[in-house]
């Protein structure tokens, strides 16, 4: 086993396409996995909120308008724990909110860290980008690695 692994490493080192492909694959695969894991996690959170989400009024602490419309807020869960978070909201939601005023929060009582506020922007783009970049780099890298190893 050890001798065959050393032989494979030697074959990769001696073939530029295989070496280049291995590097691309090793860079792309973690991006692919991260995109899948974050996407699944977001999907599970959305489902939890739909099935057992509980509405509660929180308080807007700070409104920030810069590159995006951001709101810092807090709310108290049924367990008594105070949750504080900053999120990006739609411009229309940002306009309606007032510092020290109420903000509608929906949270999962068993997992208070799983929550959303009214008008919150979804972060589905990030896992999609990670997944696509990871899949492309892994596919190109894997193809080059296979080509380089078959060539010799």
């Amino acid at each position: 086993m050890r001798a065959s692994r050393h032989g494979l490493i030697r074959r990769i080192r001696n073939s530029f396409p295989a070496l280049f492909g291995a590097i691309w694959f090793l860079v792309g695969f973690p991006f692919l996995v991260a995109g899948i894991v974050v996407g699944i996690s977001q999907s599970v959170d959305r489902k939890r909120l739909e099935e057992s989400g509980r509405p509660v009024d929180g308080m807007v602490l700070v409104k920030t308008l810069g590159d995006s419309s951001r709101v810092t807020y807090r709310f108290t869960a049924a367990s008594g724990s105070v949750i504080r978070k900053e999120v990006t909201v739609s411009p229309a939601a940002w306009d309606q909110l007032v510092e020290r005023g109420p903000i509608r929060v929906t949270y999962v009582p068993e997992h208070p860290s799983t929550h959303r506020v009214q008008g919150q922007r979804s972060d589905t783009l990030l896992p999609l980008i990670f997944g696509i970049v990871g899949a492309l780099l892994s596919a190109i890298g894997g193809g080059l690695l296979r080509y380089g190893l078959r060539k010799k």
Side-chain angles (χ1 to χ4, degrees), residues 8-40:
L8 177 62
I9 292 172
R10 191 177 312 113
R11 287 177 60 200
I12 291 172
R13 279 190 196 160
N14 292 334
S15 169
F16 179 76
L19 180 61
F20 195 67
I23 292 168
W24 275 40
F25 182 81
L26 290 173
V27 168
F29 192 70
F31 277 88
L32 176 61
V33 171
I36 291 170
V37 168
V38 171
I40 289 171

mmCIF file of all heavy atoms in Angstrom, residues 8-40:
data_model
loop_
_atom_site.group_PDB
_atom_site.id
_atom_site.type_symbol
_atom_site.label_atom_id
_atom_site.label_comp_id
_atom_site.label_asym_id
_atom_site.label_seq_id
_atom_site.Cartn_x
_atom_site.Cartn_y
_atom_site.Cartn_z
ATOM 1 N N LEU A 8 2.295 6.604 -6.835
ATOM 2 C CA LEU A 8 1.294 7.534 -7.345
ATOM 3 C C LEU A 8 1.780 8.978 -7.186
ATOM 4 O O LEU A 8 1.669 9.785 -8.116
ATOM 5 C CB LEU A 8 -0.036 7.346 -6.611
ATOM 6 C CG LEU A 8 -1.165 8.298 -6.983
ATOM 7 C CD1 LEU A 8 -1.538 8.126 -8.457
ATOM 8 C CD2 LEU A 8 -2.365 8.082 -6.094
ATOM 9 N N ILE A 9 2.345 9.290 -6.031
ATOM 10 C CA ILE A 9 2.860 10.646 -5.804
ATOM 11 C C ILE A 9 3.979 10.950 -6.797
ATOM 12 O O ILE A 9 4.042 12.049 -7.353
ATOM 13 C CB ILE A 9 3.338 10.808 -4.341
ATOM 14 C CG1 ILE A 9 2.121 10.765 -3.410
ATOM 15 C CG2 ILE A 9 4.116 12.102 -4.156
ATOM 16 C CD1 ILE A 9 2.457 10.712 -1.938
ATOM 17 N N ARG A 10 4.843 9.987 -7.042
ATOM 18 C CA ARG A 10 5.928 10.181 -8.008
ATOM 19 C C ARG A 10 5.365 10.419 -9.412
ATOM 20 O O ARG A 10 5.838 11.292 -10.139
ATOM 21 C CB ARG A 10 6.857 8.964 -8.010
ATOM 22 C CG ARG A 10 8.139 9.187 -8.788
ATOM 23 C CD ARG A 10 9.111 8.003 -8.737
ATOM 24 N NE ARG A 10 9.330 7.485 -7.400
ATOM 25 C CZ ARG A 10 8.937 6.262 -6.979
ATOM 26 N NH1 ARG A 10 8.304 5.454 -7.803
ATOM 27 N NH2 ARG A 10 9.176 5.859 -5.762
ATOM 28 N N ARG A 11 4.335 9.660 -9.780
ATOM 29 C CA ARG A 11 3.726 9.832 -11.106
ATOM 30 C C ARG A 11 3.087 11.216 -11.235
ATOM 31 O O ARG A 11 3.162 11.842 -12.291
ATOM 32 C CB ARG A 11 2.682 8.747 -11.354
ATOM 33 C CG ARG A 11 3.305 7.388 -11.621
ATOM 34 C CD ARG A 11 2.270 6.305 -11.784
ATOM 35 N NE ARG A 11 1.377 6.594 -12.898
ATOM 36 C CZ ARG A 11 0.180 6.031 -13.028
ATOM 37 N NH1 ARG A 11 -0.270 5.190 -12.117
ATOM 38 N NH2 ARG A 11 -0.569 6.330 -14.063
ATOM 39 N N ILE A 12 2.469 11.690 -10.160
ATOM 40 C CA ILE A 12 1.858 13.021 -10.186
ATOM 41 C C ILE A 12 2.939 14.084 -10.310
ATOM 42 O O ILE A 12 2.814 15.021 -11.102
ATOM 43 C CB ILE A 12 0.976 13.254 -8.939
ATOM 44 C CG1 ILE A 12 -0.260 12.361 -8.995
ATOM 45 C CG2 ILE A 12 0.565 14.720 -8.813
ATOM 46 C CD1 ILE A 12 -1.095 12.361 -7.732
ATOM 47 N N ARG A 13 4.012 13.944 -9.556
ATOM 48 C CA ARG A 13 5.107 14.919 -9.621
ATOM 49 C C ARG A 13 5.768 14.979 -10.997
ATOM 50 O O ARG A 13 6.217 16.031 -11.424
ATOM 51 C CB ARG A 13 6.195 14.568 -8.607
ATOM 52 C CG ARG A 13 5.903 15.009 -7.234
ATOM 53 C CD ARG A 13 7.148 14.827 -6.400
ATOM 54 N NE ARG A 13 6.850 14.873 -5.002
ATOM 55 C CZ ARG A 13 7.626 14.385 -4.065
ATOM 56 N NH1 ARG A 13 8.760 13.802 -4.380
ATOM 57 N NH2 ARG A 13 7.288 14.474 -2.813
ATOM 58 N N ASN A 14 5.812 13.866 -11.684
ATOM 59 C CA ASN A 14 6.494 13.796 -12.972
ATOM 60 C C ASN A 14 5.609 14.210 -14.146
ATOM 61 O O ASN A 14 6.061 14.205 -15.284
ATOM 62 C CB ASN A 14 7.055 12.387 -13.218
ATOM 63 C CG ASN A 14 8.188 12.063 -12.271
ATOM 64 O OD1 ASN A 14 8.876 12.958 -11.791
ATOM 65 N ND2 ASN A 14 8.374 10.780 -11.996
ATOM 66 N N SER A 15 4.364 14.542 -13.888
ATOM 67 C CA SER A 15 3.447 14.946 -14.956
ATOM 68 C C SER A 15 2.848 16.310 -14.597
ATOM 69 O O SER A 15 2.102 16.431 -13.623
ATOM 70 C CB SER A 15 2.338 13.909 -15.103
ATOM 71 O OG SER A 15 1.313 14.400 -15.935
ATOM 72 N N PHE A 16 3.165 17.321 -15.404
ATOM 73 C CA PHE A 16 2.643 18.663 -15.120
ATOM 74 C C PHE A 16 1.113 18.692 -15.107
ATOM 75 O O PHE A 16 0.524 19.253 -14.183
ATOM 76 C CB PHE A 16 3.205 19.700 -16.103
ATOM 77 C CG PHE A 16 2.652 21.071 -15.837
ATOM 78 C CD1 PHE A 16 3.113 21.816 -14.767
ATOM 79 C CD2 PHE A 16 1.652 21.604 -16.636
ATOM 80 C CE1 PHE A 16 2.596 23.080 -14.495
ATOM 81 C CE2 PHE A 16 1.126 22.861 -16.377
ATOM 82 C CZ PHE A 16 1.604 23.602 -15.301
ATOM 83 N N PRO A 17 0.433 18.100 -16.105
ATOM 84 C CA PRO A 17 -1.043 18.128 -16.044
ATOM 85 C C PRO A 17 -1.584 17.454 -14.780
ATOM 86 O O PRO A 17 -2.550 17.934 -14.182
ATOM 87 C CB PRO A 17 -1.484 17.371 -17.297
ATOM 88 C CG PRO A 17 -0.332 17.457 -18.226
ATOM 89 C CD PRO A 17 0.899 17.496 -17.363
ATOM 90 N N ALA A 18 -0.966 16.352 -14.363
ATOM 91 C CA ALA A 18 -1.437 15.652 -13.163
ATOM 92 C C ALA A 18 -1.190 16.502 -11.919
ATOM 93 O O ALA A 18 -2.062 16.605 -11.049
ATOM 94 C CB ALA A 18 -0.744 14.298 -13.026
ATOM 95 N N LEU A 19 -0.019 17.125 -11.831
ATOM 96 C CA LEU A 19 0.299 17.970 -10.684
ATOM 97 C C LEU A 19 -0.629 19.189 -10.632
ATOM 98 O O LEU A 19 -1.193 19.516 -9.586
ATOM 99 C CB LEU A 19 1.764 18.425 -10.752
ATOM 100 C CG LEU A 19 2.243 19.321 -9.604
ATOM 101 C CD1 LEU A 19 2.114 18.587 -8.274
ATOM 102 C CD2 LEU A 19 3.678 19.762 -9.851
ATOM 103 N N PHE A 20 -0.807 19.834 -11.765
ATOM 104 C CA PHE A 20 -1.688 20.994 -11.854
ATOM 105 C C PHE A 20 -3.125 20.597 -11.509
ATOM 106 O O PHE A 20 -3.818 21.287 -10.754
ATOM 107 C CB PHE A 20 -1.608 21.567 -13.280
ATOM 108 C CG PHE A 20 -2.182 22.940 -13.423
ATOM 109 C CD1 PHE A 20 -1.595 24.033 -12.806
ATOM 110 C CD2 PHE A 20 -3.318 23.144 -14.196
ATOM 111 C CE1 PHE A 20 -2.122 25.301 -12.947
ATOM 112 C CE2 PHE A 20 -3.855 24.402 -14.347
ATOM 113 C CZ PHE A 20 -3.260 25.491 -13.724
ATOM 114 N N GLY A 21 -3.556 19.452 -12.036
ATOM 115 C CA GLY A 21 -4.911 18.961 -11.755
ATOM 116 C C GLY A 21 -5.107 18.613 -10.290
ATOM 117 O O GLY A 21 -6.157 18.901 -9.705
ATOM 118 N N ALA A 22 -4.088 17.999 -9.677
ATOM 119 C CA ALA A 22 -4.191 17.642 -8.260
ATOM 120 C C ALA A 22 -4.338 18.893 -7.404
ATOM 121 O O ALA A 22 -5.134 18.925 -6.458
ATOM 122 C CB ALA A 22 -2.968 16.841 -7.830
ATOM 123 N N ILE A 23 -3.581 19.933 -7.733
ATOM 124 C CA ILE A 23 -3.670 21.188 -6.977
ATOM 125 C C ILE A 23 -5.065 21.794 -7.127
ATOM 126 O O ILE A 23 -5.693 22.195 -6.147
ATOM 127 C CB ILE A 23 -2.575 22.179 -7.426
ATOM 128 C CG1 ILE A 23 -1.200 21.658 -7.006
ATOM 129 C CG2 ILE A 23 -2.823 23.568 -6.856
ATOM 130 C CD1 ILE A 23 -0.034 22.396 -7.624
ATOM 131 N N TRP A 24 -5.562 21.862 -8.365
ATOM 132 C CA TRP A 24 -6.898 22.425 -8.586
ATOM 133 C C TRP A 24 -7.964 21.612 -7.849
ATOM 134 O O TRP A 24 -8.889 22.166 -7.272
ATOM 135 C CB TRP A 24 -7.206 22.481 -10.080
ATOM 136 C CG TRP A 24 -6.673 23.697 -10.749
ATOM 137 C CD1 TRP A 24 -5.476 24.305 -10.543
ATOM 138 C CD2 TRP A 24 -7.345 24.466 -11.734
ATOM 139 N NE1 TRP A 24 -5.350 25.389 -11.353
ATOM 140 C CE2 TRP A 24 -6.490 25.516 -12.100
ATOM 141 C CE3 TRP A 24 -8.572 24.368 -12.363
ATOM 142 C CZ2 TRP A 24 -6.832 26.462 -13.046
ATOM 143 C CZ3 TRP A 24 -8.919 25.298 -13.316
ATOM 144 C CH2 TRP A 24 -8.052 26.341 -13.649
ATOM 145 N N PHE A 25 -7.829 20.300 -7.897
ATOM 146 C CA PHE A 25 -8.804 19.444 -7.222
ATOM 147 C C PHE A 25 -8.758 19.683 -5.716
ATOM 148 O O PHE A 25 -9.807 19.824 -5.061
ATOM 149 C CB PHE A 25 -8.550 17.967 -7.526
ATOM 150 C CG PHE A 25 -9.553 17.060 -6.885
ATOM 151 C CD1 PHE A 25 -10.798 16.871 -7.466
ATOM 152 C CD2 PHE A 25 -9.262 16.415 -5.697
ATOM 153 C CE1 PHE A 25 -11.739 16.045 -6.872
ATOM 154 C CE2 PHE A 25 -10.196 15.591 -5.095
ATOM 155 C CZ PHE A 25 -11.434 15.408 -5.676
ATOM 156 N N LEU A 26 -7.544 19.741 -5.149
ATOM 157 C CA LEU A 26 -7.399 19.939 -3.701
ATOM 158 C C LEU A 26 -7.888 21.312 -3.250
ATOM 159 O O LEU A 26 -8.297 21.482 -2.102
ATOM 160 C CB LEU A 26 -5.947 19.725 -3.276
ATOM 161 C CG LEU A 26 -5.465 18.275 -3.351
ATOM 162 C CD1 LEU A 26 -3.972 18.191 -3.070
ATOM 163 C CD2 LEU A 26 -6.246 17.390 -2.398
ATOM 164 N N VAL A 27 -7.846 22.302 -4.121
ATOM 165 C CA VAL A 27 -8.383 23.626 -3.793
ATOM 166 C C VAL A 27 -9.906 23.642 -3.973
ATOM 167 O O VAL A 27 -10.634 24.193 -3.152
ATOM 168 C CB VAL A 27 -7.726 24.719 -4.670
ATOM 169 C CG1 VAL A 27 -8.463 26.043 -4.545
ATOM 170 C CG2 VAL A 27 -6.259 24.891 -4.290
ATOM 171 N N GLY A 28 -10.398 23.041 -5.027
ATOM 172 C CA GLY A 28 -11.821 23.099 -5.348
ATOM 173 C C GLY A 28 -12.711 22.246 -4.467
ATOM 174 O O GLY A 28 -13.832 22.649 -4.128
ATOM 175 N N PHE A 29 -12.228 21.073 -4.081
ATOM 176 C CA PHE A 29 -13.076 20.146 -3.328
ATOM 177 C C PHE A 29 -13.577 20.725 -2.005
ATOM 178 O O PHE A 29 -14.766 20.592 -1.693
ATOM 179 C CB PHE A 29 -12.359 18.809 -3.120
ATOM 180 C CG PHE A 29 -13.254 17.736 -2.609
ATOM 181 C CD1 PHE A 29 -14.236 17.189 -3.416
ATOM 182 C CD2 PHE A 29 -13.138 17.293 -1.297
ATOM 183 C CE1 PHE A 29 -15.085 16.199 -2.943
ATOM 184 C CE2 PHE A 29 -13.970 16.313 -0.812
ATOM 185 C CZ PHE A 29 -14.947 15.761 -1.631
ATOM 186 N N PRO A 30 -12.716 21.396 -1.196
ATOM 187 C CA PRO A 30 -13.251 22.001 0.038
ATOM 188 C C PRO A 30 -14.330 23.065 -0.224
ATOM 189 O O PRO A 30 -15.281 23.192 0.547
ATOM 190 C CB PRO A 30 -12.024 22.627 0.705
ATOM 191 C CG PRO A 30 -10.870 21.860 0.163
ATOM 192 C CD PRO A 30 -11.253 21.493 -1.244
ATOM 193 N N PHE A 31 -14.182 23.818 -1.325
ATOM 194 C CA PHE A 31 -15.222 24.794 -1.675
ATOM 195 C C PHE A 31 -16.533 24.089 -1.987
ATOM 196 O O PHE A 31 -17.608 24.534 -1.576
ATOM 197 C CB PHE A 31 -14.784 25.639 -2.878
ATOM 198 C CG PHE A 31 -13.895 26.786 -2.526
ATOM 199 C CD1 PHE A 31 -12.520 26.625 -2.469
ATOM 200 C CD2 PHE A 31 -14.425 28.032 -2.250
ATOM 201 C CE1 PHE A 31 -11.697 27.677 -2.147
ATOM 202 C CE2 PHE A 31 -13.610 29.104 -1.917
ATOM 203 C CZ PHE A 31 -12.233 28.927 -1.863
ATOM 204 N N LEU A 32 -16.452 22.993 -2.717
ATOM 205 C CA LEU A 32 -17.641 22.219 -3.051
ATOM 206 C C LEU A 32 -18.317 21.700 -1.786
ATOM 207 O O LEU A 32 -19.527 21.853 -1.603
ATOM 208 C CB LEU A 32 -17.273 21.055 -3.975
ATOM 209 C CG LEU A 32 -18.389 20.086 -4.353
ATOM 210 C CD1 LEU A 32 -19.497 20.803 -5.093
ATOM 211 C CD2 LEU A 32 -17.830 18.947 -5.187
ATOM 212 N N VAL A 33 -17.537 21.109 -0.893
ATOM 213 C CA VAL A 33 -18.086 20.571 0.352
ATOM 214 C C VAL A 33 -18.701 21.697 1.193
ATOM 215 O O VAL A 33 -19.801 21.553 1.732
ATOM 216 C CB VAL A 33 -16.998 19.811 1.146
ATOM 217 C CG1 VAL A 33 -17.485 19.448 2.536
ATOM 218 C CG2 VAL A 33 -16.580 18.559 0.380
ATOM 219 N N ALA A 34 -17.999 22.833 1.308
ATOM 220 C CA ALA A 34 -18.520 23.961 2.088
ATOM 221 C C ALA A 34 -19.837 24.458 1.510
ATOM 222 O O ALA A 34 -20.782 24.743 2.256
ATOM 223 C CB ALA A 34 -17.497 25.093 2.131
ATOM 224 N N GLY A 35 -19.928 24.574 0.192
ATOM 225 C CA GLY A 35 -21.171 25.018 -0.433
ATOM 226 C C GLY A 35 -22.321 24.078 -0.151
ATOM 227 O O GLY A 35 -23.440 24.516 0.165
ATOM 228 N N ILE A 36 -22.054 22.775 -0.215
ATOM 229 C CA ILE A 36 -23.098 21.785 0.046
ATOM 230 C C ILE A 36 -23.525 21.828 1.508
ATOM 231 O O ILE A 36 -24.723 21.856 1.821
ATOM 232 C CB ILE A 36 -22.612 20.377 -0.356
ATOM 233 C CG1 ILE A 36 -22.485 20.291 -1.876
ATOM 234 C CG2 ILE A 36 -23.548 19.304 0.177
ATOM 235 C CD1 ILE A 36 -21.784 19.041 -2.372
ATOM 236 N N VAL A 37 -22.551 21.846 2.423
ATOM 237 C CA VAL A 37 -22.869 21.837 3.854
ATOM 238 C C VAL A 37 -23.653 23.091 4.254
ATOM 239 O O VAL A 37 -24.666 23.004 4.960
ATOM 240 C CB VAL A 37 -21.579 21.693 4.703
ATOM 241 C CG1 VAL A 37 -21.843 21.969 6.166
ATOM 242 C CG2 VAL A 37 -20.986 20.309 4.514
ATOM 243 N N VAL A 38 -23.219 24.261 3.812
ATOM 244 C CA VAL A 38 -23.915 25.503 4.165
ATOM 245 C C VAL A 38 -25.307 25.519 3.534
ATOM 246 O O VAL A 38 -26.284 25.931 4.172
ATOM 247 C CB VAL A 38 -23.089 26.738 3.746
ATOM 248 C CG1 VAL A 38 -23.902 28.017 3.898
ATOM 249 C CG2 VAL A 38 -21.814 26.825 4.575
ATOM 250 N N GLY A 39 -25.430 25.063 2.295
ATOM 251 C CA GLY A 39 -26.737 25.007 1.639
ATOM 252 C C GLY A 39 -27.712 24.096 2.367
ATOM 253 O O GLY A 39 -28.877 24.456 2.584
ATOM 254 N N ILE A 40 -27.236 22.926 2.787
ATOM 255 C CA ILE A 40 -28.091 21.994 3.533
ATOM 256 C C ILE A 40 -28.472 22.594 4.882
ATOM 257 O O ILE A 40 -29.629 22.521 5.300
ATOM 258 C CB ILE A 40 -27.395 20.628 3.704
ATOM 259 C CG1 ILE A 40 -27.333 19.913 2.359
ATOM 260 C CG2 ILE A 40 -28.113 19.772 4.744
ATOM 261 C CD1 ILE A 40 -26.488 18.656 2.366
#
